[in-house]
Amino acid sequence: MFVRTAYKCRAYPDQVQASVLNRTFGCVRVVWNRTLAWRHQRYHAEKAGTSFTQANAYLTAMKTGTGLAWLNEVSSVPLQQAIRHQQAAYTAFFAKRARHPRFKSRNGRQSAEYTRSGFRYRNGRLHLAKMDAPLAFTWSWPDVDPASIDPSTVTVSRDPCGRWYVSFAVDVPDPEQLLATGRVVGVDLGVKDFAVTSGGQRIANPRHLERRARNLARYQRRMARCQRGSANRAKAKAKVARAHRKVRAARTDFLHKTSTRLVRDHDVIVLEDLAVKNMVRNRKLAKAISDCGWGTFRVMIEYKAARYGRRVITADRWYPSSKTCSACGHLLATLSLDTRHWTCPSCGTRHDRDHNAAKNILAAGLAVAGGNPGHACGADVRHSGSSRVQSAVKQEPQGVSPGIPVLQGGE
């Protein structure tokens, strides 16, 4: 069995190659935007969808027209790939897996994808179409010989701060499965601490954006004072982009190290199904929640667990893990967000809010481990006469057991 992976490296094009790539980025952007606008116009005028064949024919019409004849000056492969990616984006949109495709801006990240007909890779040297010299790049994996890989696609990109990258998509054999550790863990994600495990481990929130907020604000003020279209504004804008890149790189590094450690040390990982998209609507917490990167963290854990033979269980998002006593199952009627410790009125156990939630999340995950690993028993089921998604834990028998919330005393 093989899995698709990618090796992303820093690229160093010379002046001529940078000119060719910048021209290619512009053509890809024009093809994407014009095809997207044509799809909109066609749908509103004819109420008809657009297939890949029709979109590809529209690309041919654009290239043969007099106004856009300069599209023929670059390789046709990235232009065709732009049409293919747009079709995939619409497929994901209609399947409700992604939002509607948007127009591309010249100010954001630029990229162009080449298939095998648009590049040649031999002995660790990459030759792209419309270029005479090989593209220089730095290989960052000492345990992998760059001459041994056989990439199926190559993607060249440029960040807003001016850094160039090249990504090689390669099919590699499945990695060896990790040895069983016999340990399971429940993870409660938060803002004060990034994560608290059921074993009591606290992973501090590094707050990458907050630590660089002052420098970032200073760069943004300098950019705001510059005249639009000037060279000084372009330089100031690059500094803002570099500051954001440093924040993004530090956050990604932290999430990778944390997720890898959890996957290596545990056979089963139970996470809470957080609705991050809804949580960032809170204006007071939106910036802090976005800086945590909970969604990216969950994606990393899921694909690493699938790769190395671990199991990830998702607890129901309506499960009241924080206000349920992990010792006796007593469920508090209310628990304010600023209450970090509380004492169970039923058994008298003193709880740390986050540690208690992590233990309850683990208990809920283990309770459904023999069923669907993605949901708790009966979770995400809409019952007749109610539009609210009912929690799985509220459908359990009313006996008291650790980790299962039960209303006590007629509450």
Side-chain angles (χ1 to χ4, degrees):
M1 294 294 292
F2 291 86
V3 295
R4 175 65 58 88
T5 188
Y7 298 100
K8 186 174 182 179
C9 314
R10 283 287 302 276
Y12 301 92
D14 57 30
Q15 187 174 1
V16 176
Q17 293 173 335
S19 177
V20 173
L21 290 173
N22 284 327
R23 197 180 310 121
T24 304
F25 294 156
C27 293
V28 168
R29 188 174 60 250
V30 167
V31 168
W32 176 283
N33 290 342
R34 294 208 174 208
T35 306
L36 188 59
W38 173 69
R39 285 175 180 267
H40 289 178
Q41 180 183 5
R42 187 168 182 266
Y43 175 78
H44 291 294
E46 305 175 13
K47 300 297 181 182
T50 304
S51 64
F52 172 74
T53 304
Q54 293 171 326
N56 211 22
Y58 183 74
L59 171 61
T60 304
M62 280 194 294
K63 296 176 67 174
T64 56
T66 56
L68 298 175
W70 41 267
L71 291 176
N72 296 286
E73 298 177 3
V74 302
S75 173
S76 62
V77 175
L79 307 185
Q80 295 171 349
Q81 288 299 102
I83 299 296
R84 195 167 278 111
H85 290 324
Q86 190 173 106
Q87 190 68 31
Y90 265 101
T91 302
F93 168 71
F94 289 122
K96 297 183 179 181
R97 297 194 306 267
R99 58 185 174 183
H100 193 277
R102 297 180 296 175
F103 292 96
K104 292 184 180 293
S105 170
R106 66 175 63 186
N107 298 322
R109 174 181 176 272
Q110 307 296 315
S111 65
E113 185 180 78
Y114 295 82
T115 57
R116 294 184 187 274
S117 59
F119 72 91
R120 185 175 75 256
Y121 186 82
R122 293 177 182 173
N123 300 324
R125 296 168 65 89
L126 175 63
H127 295 262
L128 296 177
K130 303 291 184 178
M131 293 185 188
D132 298 329
L135 179 64
F137 62 89
T138 300
W139 190 256
S140 304
W141 293 268
D143 56 337
V144 179
D145 183 9
S148 64
I149 67 172
D150 182 23
S152 57
T153 62
V154 170
T155 303
V156 183
S157 60
R158 190 194 71 227
D159 276 356
C161 61
R163 284 195 172 191
W164 294 84
Y165 298 92
V166 57
S167 298
F168 301 93
V170 183
D171 291 328
V172 298
D174 283 336
E176 296 182 1
Q177 303 296 293
L178 295 175
L179 298 177
T181 63
R183 288 181 287 184
V184 297
V185 66
V187 181
D188 178 67
L189 300 177
V191 175
K192 182 177 180 294
D193 292 304
F194 175 79
V196 178
T197 68
S198 55
Q201 179 187 6
R202 292 183 176 274
I203 302 174
N205 186 0
R207 303 179 185 271
H208 299 289
L209 183 59
E210 183 178 329
R211 288 192 299 170
R212 297 181 182 269
R214 293 184 61 184
N215 287 341
L216 183 59
R218 184 170 67 252
Y219 295 148
Q220 289 173 330
R221 286 195 299 268
R222 290 177 182 175
M223 185 181 69
R225 297 190 187 106
C226 297
Q227 184 179 356
R228 289 186 177 274
S230 65
N232 285 336
R233 183 179 175 86
K235 295 177 184 178
K237 189 174 183 179
K239 287 187 177 181
V240 173
R242 280 196 292 270
H244 278 293
R245 175 183 57 79
K246 291 178 180 179
V247 172
R248 183 172 61 251
R251 182 189 299 119
T252 304
D253 180 72
F254 166 76
L255 295 177
H256 269 299
K257 290 179 178 178
T258 305
S259 59
T260 299
R261 186 165 59 250
L262 286 174
V263 170
R264 285 178 178 175
D265 295 344
H266 303 92
D267 295 338
V268 179
I269 303 171
V270 185
L271 301 173
E272 191 175 6
D273 185 21
L274 296 176
V276 181
K277 185 177 180 180
N278 297 334
M279 297 174 70
V280 295
R281 294 176 182 174
N282 185 330
R283 295 184 178 181
K284 295 182 179 180
L285 297 176
K287 191 174 183 179
I289 292 175
S290 299
D291 190 25
C292 289
W294 293 336
T296 305
F297 179 70
R298 176 175 168 179
V299 170
M300 288 181 179
I301 285 202
E302 288 177 344
Y303 85 76
K304 291 177 183 180
R307 178 176 296 179
Y308 295 107
R310 301 309 199 199
R311 187 176 186 184
V312 177
I313 302 175
T314 306
D316 179 27
R317 70 178 52 172
W318 300 109
Y319 179 64
S321 57
S322 297
K323 58 183 181 180
T324 301
C325 177
S326 57
C328 69
H330 179 86
L331 176 62
L332 295 180
T334 58
L335 182 65
S336 60
L337 189 60
D338 58 351
T339 302
R340 309 312 303 176
H341 298 82
W342 59 279
T343 302
C344 177
S346 178
C347 66
T349 305
R350 179 73 172 171
H351 291 296
D352 175 87
R353 179 194 183 98
D354 299 329
H355 187 203
N356 176 68
K359 290 193 287 186
N360 283 327
I361 290 172
L362 175 61
L366 295 180
V368 298
N372 187 343
H375 304 282
C377 177
D380 297 344
V381 176
R382 297 187 181 274
H383 296 266
S384 59
S386 174
S387 60
R388 180 180 178 182
V389 179
Q390 300 296 321
S391 171
V393 296
K394 295 180 181 178
Q395 301 174 40
E396 298 288 341
Q398 295 301 310
V400 178
S401 59
I404 304 298
V406 177
L407 290 174
Q408 301 287 340
E411 291 179 334

